[in-house]
Structure formats: structure tokens, C-alpha cells
Amino acid sequence: MLEESDKVLIRAKELCQDEREKEAEVLVKKQIAQAPDNLKLMTMLGVIQARLCKDNKAESTFRSVLARNPNNEDAVCGLGRLLDQSLRIEEAEETYRVFLQNNPQGHSAMEDLCRLLLSENRVDEALRLSRKQAIQYETQHHAFNPVRYVLHVLEDQLEDELNDDRENELLFTKLIDNIFEQLELVEVMEQNTKLSDDMKIELDDDKTRLIGELEYLIQSAPSRDISVSSAIHSKTNRFKRML
């Protein structure tokens, strides 16, 4: 029965990827009737219901899972996202925080919490929590996802602001520092964590992109009337040797 349920989960995910959520819902419900204690199936049903905009049913499903296992991270994240999207921000935040108190290694929940904080413009808090997560669990590559997400969002924001005010030296420096921090995180991940082949490829792509951004910024500095220090040049060259 467990093997069959796993096959159903895989098929349901494939159907959702093809935007065939109604078929996925029928498939998962049918399997739940045969395996009512399978919380993975229940959580998947909640995800599908949320995608179908059946918010009340999805919330009920997620809460049913959490009533049986309050440490189910997938259900916590599903419920938190649903509450966030429904503008029930305080409830979503409380859902994440309660879970993280009991499950500090809940890296997906931490990433979702940081996403919520950023949407509320609580940037310093998102940075503080996500950086702490990476430092505290530096041997677990998933622990770096929250801070990498936060820094990438902030990078995009800084780029937009700098495009509107291209001679702003403060924005220029903040963007350089942001990219340096992202590269430093990649360096720590490569040194301290066990990486899958897919993750190695992802990090290599990230390094290439970030170093390309650095080179572009440095090359554009004269036209911005901004002076680039020798320390920035030196640090950039060090990271280029990572490629």
C-alpha cells in the first residue's frame, strides 16, 4: 500500500506540473480512501486544493494533517503560504514561528517565513534570521536556502534602484556587498556541505552569474563617476579563481 501511495504522489505531482490539478485531486482522494493515515497524501491533497483555489478545503486539510503531526513541515508550509496569500499575515507568521521553535532545522519553513517578512518590508529581520540559520547549520546545504533567497531578492531590488539612479555610490556599494556575500555563501557551501551533482551545477551557474554581475558593475563604474577601490578589485579576482 505504501509503495502504491508513493506512485500516486509522483503521478499527482506530474499532473500538477501539467496544470491538470482536477485529475490529481481525484487520484489522490481515491488513494486516501485506501490509505487514510498517509499524511503525505493528505498534504498533497491540501496543495492541490490550494492550487484549485479551494482555500477553505485546503486549510481544513492542512490543519487535519497538523492535528495528527504538528511537526509536518510540508503541511506547515502549505498552510502558511495559504494564510499569507489570503492576507492573514499574522496567522501565517505565527504558524511558521511556532513550528520553528520546535523544529529549528525546518529550513523550508524558515525560507517561507523570510519570504513573508520581505513582503512586509521587514528586511533586517529576514536577513538576521536567514543568516543565523546558515551559520547555525552550515553543514546542511538546505540551511543556506533562506539567506540565498533573501539576498537574491534584495539584489534584484538594488539593481532596479541603481538603474533609476545609476550614479548613486551608496546603492552601487550595497549591490557589490550583496554579491560578495552571495559568493561567500557559495564558497562556504562548497567547503562544508555534501552537495548533489545537481546542486554543484546550480552553484557553478550561480558563481558564473554573480561574477559576471561584478565585472559588469566594475566596468560601468567610470560612466557612473564612481571609483572602485583596490580591495573590491582584489576580492573580485579572488572569486574569479573559484570558476
Side-chain angles (χ1 to χ4, degrees):
M1 183 65 70
L2 182 60
E3 182 179 349
E4 184 63 28
S5 293
D6 287 343
K7 290 179 181 178
V8 168
L9 283 168
I10 292 171
R11 180 57 182 155
K13 290 176 183 177
E14 291 173 347
L15 288 169
C16 287
Q17 288 173 354
D18 293 336
E19 298 184 357
R20 296 160 62 187
E21 287 85 356
K22 289 184 179 180
E23 293 177 57
E25 182 182 28
V26 171
L27 180 67
V28 171
K29 280 184 173 180
K30 182 177 179 181
Q31 188 62 25
I32 287 174
Q34 300 178 48
D37 294 326
N38 190 313
L39 297 187
K40 288 184 178 180
L41 284 170
M42 289 287 292
T43 303
M44 186 65 201
L45 177 60
V47 171
I48 295 168
Q49 290 169 331
R51 288 172 65 101
L52 289 169
C53 299
K54 298 179 179 181
D55 290 357
N56 291 336
K57 289 184 177 180
E59 181 176 348
S60 177
T61 300
F62 288 134
R63 291 195 185 280
S64 176
V65 172
L66 293 172
R68 296 197 233 175
N69 179 12
N71 299 315
N72 187 310
E73 186 170 16
D74 288 339
V76 164
C77 290
L79 178 60
R81 291 168 193 164
L82 183 66
L83 293 171
D84 188 7
Q85 291 166 7
S86 302
L87 302 181
R88 294 157 65 183
I89 307 300
E90 292 183 3
E91 288 181 68
E93 182 176 351
E94 181 69 10
T95 297
Y96 293 132
R97 290 191 183 276
V98 169
F99 174 81
L100 287 165
Q101 283 178 356
N102 299 315
N103 303 273
Q105 296 185 52
H107 307 313
S108 294
M110 178 60 77
E111 183 174 352
D112 279 358
L113 173 58
C114 290
R115 182 180 288 107
L116 181 152
L117 293 173
L118 284 181
S119 71
E120 293 293 294
N121 202 31
R122 293 157 65 182
V123 174
D124 291 344
E125 192 173 358
L127 280 170
R128 177 177 58 80
L129 289 175
S130 60
R131 284 168 174 162
K132 180 181 178 182
Q133 192 82 356
I135 292 170
Q136 192 167 358
Y137 302 105
E138 65 174 10
T139 61
Q140 302 174 27
H141 70 82
H142 291 300
F144 290 81
N145 289 346
V147 67
R148 291 178 69 208
Y149 170 79
V150 171
L151 288 172
H152 187 69
V153 170
L154 296 179
E155 177 194 353
D156 287 345
Q157 291 177 358
L158 286 167
E159 284 181 347
D160 288 342
E161 291 174 16
L162 191 59
N163 285 336
D164 293 336
D165 188 7
R166 67 185 319 273
E167 295 182 3
N168 189 315
E169 188 167 358
L170 179 59
L171 290 174
F172 182 91
T173 302
K174 284 184 175 181
L175 183 52
I176 290 279
D177 288 343
N178 175 294
I179 294 172
F180 279 153
E181 184 173 357
Q182 290 188 68
L183 284 166
E184 286 163 358
L185 288 171
V186 170
E187 194 172 38
V188 172
M189 290 177 71
E190 290 180 333
Q191 292 173 354
N192 296 345
T193 66
K194 293 182 179 180
L195 302 171
S196 66
D197 289 341
D198 287 344
M199 180 57 70
K200 289 177 182 177
I201 292 171
E202 179 182 326
L203 292 182
D204 284 341
D205 289 345
D206 226 16
K207 283 187 292 187
T208 300
R209 181 187 68 80
L210 290 166
I211 290 170
E213 288 292 330
L214 274 177
E215 290 181 319
Y216 164 75
L217 285 169
I218 291 171
Q219 290 169 6
S220 71
S223 68
R224 300 176 188 273
D225 198 24
I226 294 174
S227 176
V228 178
S229 70
S230 60
I232 288 177
H233 282 290
S234 177
K235 203 168 183 179
T236 300
N237 288 332
R238 180 174 76 79
F239 285 123
K240 286 171 69 174
R241 291 192 288 271
M242 292 170 60
L243 293 177

